[in-house]
């Protein structure tokens, strides 16, 4: 059984003192805890260094929320994967729907970012998910198929994680039912196996979208769910810890 990954995506939230305090508290709380859980926080770029220092070398990994496909160059405002690695990141989220929709990122670009992450020694967390209209039209699984086919590199990146995040569930308080999550994750598992063979079966699959302490137990017990990508609730110490601790 792979360790379940409990990942906090802080998005564009947090100033230094607050971020350091939260990071320190998470690290203190999970130290010496369950070894079947892996904890990860992905703060905004501005907080990577102080949060990394606050986490120390302990049980909580550090990740970025995005990276540029190029390793360096004239790209004002962007951050490259080797820069994240240099700051101690082990992971980077790519293709989050807030990037795909808010910044017009295509799956081709997400694939280039995924490759850049892998080249830099980061484990990419590739996000996919259907929107409300696609779901209503019965196209949810087809959308996942399309996004994955175009967002993933030909070669399996080391440590690849795929996050299923239905767009309509992000930040809305609505979660997919365990049944829908099982169907989506089962489908993704099959696609990864078809693409990468047996190694593809070992890719961890996270569910994301309004994960809270009161639904985490059921979601994390759902078949083919290997962890959670948590937005809003990851900014609250008690809620974030409770989500991880709800894992069966
Ligand atoms: P949410 O965000 O938990 O606030 O819905 C999840 C995400 O966007 O990763």
């Amino acid at each position: 059984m792979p360790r379940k990954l409990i990942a906090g995506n802080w998005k564009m939230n947090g100033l230094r003192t607050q971020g350091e305090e939260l990071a320190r508290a998470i690290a203190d709380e999970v130290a010496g805890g369950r070894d079947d859980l892996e904890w990860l926080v992905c703060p905004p770029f501005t907080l990577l260094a102080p949060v990394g220092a606050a986490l120390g070398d302990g049980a909580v990994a550090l990740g970025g929320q995005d990276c540029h496909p190029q390793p360096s160059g004239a790209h004002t405002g962007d951050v490259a994967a080797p820069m994240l690695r240099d700051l101690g990141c082990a992971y980077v989220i790519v293709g989050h729907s807030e990037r795909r929709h808010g910044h017009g990122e295509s799956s081709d670009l997400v694939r280039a970012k995924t490759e850049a992450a892998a080249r830099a020694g980061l484990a990419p967390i590739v996000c996919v998910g259907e929107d409300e209209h696609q779901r209503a039209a019965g196209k949810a699984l087809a959308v996942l198929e399309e996004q994955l086919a175009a967002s993933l590199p030909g070669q399996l990146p080391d440590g690849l994680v795929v996050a299923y995040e239905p767009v309509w569930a992000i930040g809305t308080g609505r979660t997919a039912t365990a049944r829908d999550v099982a169907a989506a994750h089962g489908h993704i598992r099959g696609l990864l196996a078809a693409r990468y063979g047996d190694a593809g079966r070992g890719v961890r699959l996270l569910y994301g979208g309004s994960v809270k302490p009161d639904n985490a137990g059921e979601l994390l017990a759902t078949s083919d769910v290997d962890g959670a990508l948590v937005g809003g609730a990851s900014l609250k110490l008690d809620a974030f810890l409770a989500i991880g601790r709800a894992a069966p």
Side-chain angles (χ1 to χ4, degrees):
M1 279 291 277
R3 287 201 299 164
K4 284 210 191 313
L5 179 60
I6 309 299
N9 173 11
W10 291 6
K11 308 193 178 184
M12 195 175 69
N13 293 293
L15 299 178
R16 191 159 59 190
T17 308
Q18 198 188 350
E20 285 170 338
E21 276 172 15
L22 179 56
R24 211 170 289 122
I26 295 169
D28 284 351
E29 287 284 340
V30 307
R34 289 170 53 172
D35 54 14
D36 60 340
L37 292 184
E38 181 181 358
W39 298 84
L40 165 68
V41 295
C42 301
F45 292 136
T46 50
L47 292 186
L48 283 170
V51 163
L55 293 174
D57 292 331
V60 185
L62 184 68
Q65 297 177 11
D66 183 38
C67 66
H68 193 275
Q70 296 301 321
S72 63
H75 302 287
T76 303
D78 283 311
V79 171
M83 296 171 175
L84 298 177
R85 187 77 190 119
D86 192 40
L87 278 178
C89 289
Y91 290 89
V92 62
I93 299 169
V94 289
H96 190 282
S97 66
E98 286 153 14
R99 302 293 317 171
R100 289 179 185 266
H101 299 151
H103 295 263
E105 292 193 2
S106 66
S107 288
D108 282 346
L109 179 59
V110 175
R111 186 182 63 244
K113 291 181 174 198
T114 306
E115 288 167 348
R119 274 195 303 273
L122 297 167
I125 301 177
V126 178
C127 302
V128 292
E130 81 286 358
D131 67 23
E132 186 137 42
H133 297 293
Q134 292 163 330
R135 169 151 291 262
K139 294 187 179 145
L141 297 183
V143 168
L144 298 180
E145 209 161 315
E146 223 173 274
Q147 287 182 344
L148 279 175
S151 304
L152 293 177
Q155 261 208 320
L156 177 63
D158 274 350
L160 174 70
V161 176
V162 171
Y164 169 55
E165 297 208 312
V167 178
W168 48 271
I170 296 177
T172 57
R174 295 166 58 201
T175 39
T177 62
R179 207 165 144 211
D180 289 339
V181 174
H185 281 225
H187 195 63
I188 294 171
R189 185 82 75 208
L191 294 170
L192 290 169
R195 181 140 181 167
Y196 299 121
D198 262 357
R201 291 186 196 283
V203 172
R204 284 184 293 179
L205 307 183
L206 311 185
Y207 170 78
S210 296
V211 178
K212 306 279 183 248
D214 61 357
N215 58 28
E218 186 184 16
L219 289 165
L220 289 167
T222 299
S223 60
D224 289 311
V225 174
D226 305 310
L229 183 52
V230 185
S234 72
L235 295 165
K236 296 180 204 114
L237 175 67
D238 291 348
F240 188 51
L241 296 172
I243 285 169
R245 289 171 181 160

